[in-house]
Amino acid sequence: MSKPKGFEKPAGVRDYLPHAVAKLRRIEREVLACMDRWGYRQIMTPTMEYYDTVGVASSTSDQKLFKLLNKRGTTMVLRSDLTAPIARVMSSLLKDEPLPVRLSYHANVFRAIEEEAGREAEFFQTGVELVGDDSPEADAEVIALAIESLRAAGVERFKIAMGHMGFLNGLLQEVLLERTEDQENLKQDLLNRDYVGYRGTIAGLKLEARQQEQLEGILRLRGGKEIAEQALEISSNPLARSSIEHMGHVWEVLEAYGVSGHVMIDLTLLGDFSYYTGITFEGYAAELGSPVANGGRYDKLLKQFGRDVPATGFALKTNRILDGVQGTAMEEPLPILVRYTAEYRQEGLAKAAKLRAEGLTVVTSLIRENDQTDLVGVASGVAGSLLHKGYQEVITLK
């Protein structure tokens, strides 16, 4: 491999120029303020964690983790999400905090990617975790907050797809009892959105017509609240039925929030099926085909850190919102330029300080003896000929 040039950077990482940083910070500020109004307190966790704790517990597959060794030879990982680190904190530093606990975050995360995939290895997430409440009210609160957070981020047109891991697990237990490998293959097809492959996998199982109809029937379970009734016709498994009942209660709460118009039921939606245990959901912006938010219930995660409490949450894919959603466009306010000669330096800097105290953006510039810049309007204190250079106002003291 040839030596990188001085201006090159690794694949999957990027430089954020000032206009992009301004957008990113606005999204961060507005979304965190929204979450704060819902009672979610911000938390920060380390960029590095132990592989044997947070790395193993993460929903990110092992091959996508960035691993490194410390001086003792212990394997570390760069955080690939914030949920597992927060679970660690909830089981240690916050173990005596009264439940439920509501936490929010905004941070960069790292996932190893194939260079040719064109995906980012470092990106930002803004999200929440609600720990210690397993009720439909909690699931609905997180979905409603995801909707409000997307609005706060400037996403104007979007849809939330909501599924439930329990329904699919119950259905597969009913049709493919003790056939674990076949169950996992079908889940993987759905996770990959490979519906042709899903039907092909079913065909290879050589099932009875009724069983094949049950498994294929889940592909039609996408729509409004009427889908809950249709799901009950497919499976009589107790887990599947209780999951649909739970989803129905969540929908009722979303109606009370007044946000159910943004939500559709999609029982093919799994998220990471090794991680989520109940409600799962994804948010899609009208401008993009890939999700801008995802979340769900993960009641088994904290148990890996020695604390058996339920939890749910979501994360906004902040980079996708930054890059692909028109609603995040914003005008950057132009600065005021204060120019002064050496004789008027003190007055010029005092003027700049006064304007900054008023909340304005000000840059200063010393007028040198050989400066030939047009100073038309000096008598009035304004050099109008400089306005086209990116200043909303130019004040000259000479």
Side-chain angles (χ1 to χ4, degrees), residues 153-180:
V155 185
E156 297 175 354
R157 295 184 299 148
F158 58 88
K159 201 75 173 179
I160 301 290
M162 177 176 66
H164 199 298
M165 280 301 307
F167 176 77
L168 180 62
N169 286 334
L171 175 62
L172 293 178
Q173 288 174 16
E174 179 180 357
V175 178
L176 299 171
L177 184 62
E178 297 183 357
R179 296 173 63 173
T180 305

Side-chain angles (χ1 to χ4, degrees), residues 165 168 172 176 180-205 207 215-216 218-219 222 266-274 282:
M165 280 301 307
L168 180 62
L172 293 178
L176 299 171
T180 305
E181 184 177 349
D182 292 334
Q183 293 183 26
E184 296 299 307
N185 289 337
L186 289 172
K187 288 180 182 180
Q188 194 62 53
D189 288 334
L190 292 178
L191 182 64
N192 295 335
R193 300 287 186 180
D194 183 4
Y195 302 131
V196 174
Y198 178 78
R199 288 190 174 94
T201 301
I202 293 173
L205 298 177
L207 301 172
L215 294 179
E216 291 184 348
I218 197 172
L219 298 178
R222 292 195 290 255
D266 181 355
L267 289 175
T268 68
L269 180 65
L270 300 188
D272 185 330
F273 58 81
S274 65
E282 290 182 343

Side-chain angles (χ1 to χ4, degrees), residues 104-169:
S104 65
Y105 59 83
H106 173 84
N108 55 342
V109 297
F110 306 84
R111 295 179 189 172
I113 48 89
E114 295 293 336
E115 292 189 10
E116 66 271 13
R119 301 176 66 180
E120 292 184 293
E122 179 188 14
F123 52 95
F124 288 90
Q125 289 186 339
T126 313
V128 303
E129 310 298 345
L130 172 50
V131 181
D133 189 342
D134 63 356
S135 69
E137 295 280 339
D139 287 320
E141 176 181 317
V142 167
I143 295 172
L145 178 52
I147 290 170
E148 286 300 305
S149 297
L150 285 170
R151 288 171 173 160
V155 185
E156 297 175 354
R157 295 184 299 148
F158 58 88
K159 201 75 173 179
I160 301 290
M162 177 176 66
H164 199 298
M165 280 301 307
F167 176 77
L168 180 62
N169 286 334

